[in-house]
Amino acid sequence: MSRDARWKALLELLVEHGRLEVEEAATRLEVSAATIRRDFDQLAEQQMLVRTRGGAVVHGVSYELPLRYKTARRASEKQRIAQAVAGLVAPGEAVGLTGGTTTTEVARALAVRGDLGSGSPALTVVTNALNIANELAVRPQFKIVVTGGVARPQSYELIGPLADGVLGQITLDVAVLGVVAFDVTHGAAAHDEAEAAINRVLCERAERVVVAADSSKLGRRAFARICPAESVDTLVTDAAAGQETVRRFEEAGVRVVTV
């Protein structure tokens, strides 16, 4: 197992359990205790965790795993969701993409759609995510519009009032939201209030709103609300979503697509 893979696995275990002992981690990852101690020390230097006697705990009370460490989580589900979301976009439309691992997969799915290979432009993409803009900028058939703002290192998203000048001057056919939680009562939400504010404006500027979220995000709530469930036209999720959860969203007027 490579160092990056170990670090992803360690951080995911920490997010799940809150605390992790060296011996337990070594057993689960099938590496030596010395390797885990070295990994913990290096991650602590990056302020990704807090070292304790014999182990580590998550950094802070409210912990958000940075985007670069989340790419392997539910990867197959996110790719299926992304394919379905990309299929909801028509050639020539203006699409807003928020940051996140699932929306990054949506961008990649749009990039390889054969019917988006021509046009002027074949698609207009508005995003506040630097990594998405970077991946799509090399596609000459796409017009890429990046909002202003201050980069948030956890998600590569641009946040803050500098984005308002751009978003206030555009209209979108569809906004695709990546969320950390989506609940019928509490709506779509993010960890960070500034990130949620930008995402909310994208929704307000769009004709229709699509939430792309794997089933682990459903029925949960997070600190900063983006929009109520009633503002979402379509939820695209994986087949593990419970029937009762799907029914509640549909009763709230949300079309649910499972893949």
Side-chain angles (χ1 to χ4, degrees):
M1 180 182 290
S2 69
R3 188 192 68 172
D4 285 348
R6 286 199 316 275
W7 285 12
K8 288 178 183 178
L10 287 172
L11 289 169
E12 287 178 6
L13 287 169
L14 273 173
V15 170
E16 182 179 357
H17 300 291
R19 174 181 296 274
L20 195 59
E21 300 299 321
V22 168
E23 295 299 333
E24 177 190 2
T27 299
R28 296 188 69 158
L29 272 61
E30 298 182 342
V31 296
S32 69
T35 296
I36 296 297
R37 290 190 189 95
R38 185 166 56 250
D39 288 341
F40 278 169
D41 289 342
Q42 292 171 342
L43 287 168
E45 288 176 2
Q46 298 184 40
Q47 299 186 345
M48 298 298 300
L49 53 77
V50 176
R51 278 292 262 132
T52 62
R53 185 178 179 85
V57 295
V58 294
H59 190 280
V61 176
S62 178
Y63 188 82
E64 179 183 0
L65 193 64
L67 186 70
R68 65 185 181 276
Y69 294 114
K70 294 193 290 188
T71 54
R73 300 175 70 178
R74 296 180 174 265
S76 61
E77 290 93 337
K78 291 175 181 179
Q79 289 166 1
R80 293 199 305 272
I81 291 167
Q83 290 289 339
V85 172
L88 300 176
V89 177
E93 286 193 316
V95 182
L97 291 177
T98 69
T101 53
T102 306
T103 48
T104 298
E105 291 297 338
V106 172
R108 291 168 179 164
L110 288 169
V112 297
R113 262 185 54 178
D115 61 332
L116 297 178
S118 61
S120 181
L123 207 66
T124 297
V125 176
V126 179
T127 186
N128 67 322
L130 293 172
N131 66 309
I132 290 176
N134 182 62
E135 289 204 25
L136 294 183
V138 298
R139 304 281 176 172
Q141 71 272 32
F142 291 172
K143 178 180 179 180
I144 309 301
V145 179
V146 183
T147 69
V150 178
R152 186 167 184 264
Q154 289 92 336
S155 62
Y156 305 144
E157 288 187 272
L158 297 171
I159 58 174
L162 290 173
D164 294 343
V166 172
L167 295 178
Q169 303 299 317
I170 64 170
T171 58
L172 300 169
D173 294 295
V174 57
V176 179
L177 300 184
V179 301
V180 298
F182 188 32
D183 179 71
V184 171
T185 302
H186 301 284
H191 285 301
D192 181 79
E193 67 277 9
E195 181 180 313
I198 297 298
N199 295 352
R200 188 179 309 118
V201 176
L202 279 171
C203 292
E204 293 170 352
R205 305 303 296 172
E207 181 70 22
R208 61 189 192 276
V209 176
V210 175
V211 167
D214 66 73
S215 57
S216 71
K217 311 288 179 58
L218 305 182
R220 300 181 63 181
R221 60 180 180 173
F223 175 70
R225 188 165 85 155
I226 299 169
C227 66
E230 292 77 13
S231 296
V232 175
D233 297 281
T234 304
L235 163 65
V236 182
T237 188
D238 60 81
Q243 291 184 351
E244 177 63 18
T245 299
V246 170
R247 182 187 65 79
R248 292 189 65 206
F249 277 115
E250 290 177 337
E251 287 180 349
V254 180
R255 174 193 175 204
V256 181
V257 177
T258 57
V259 294

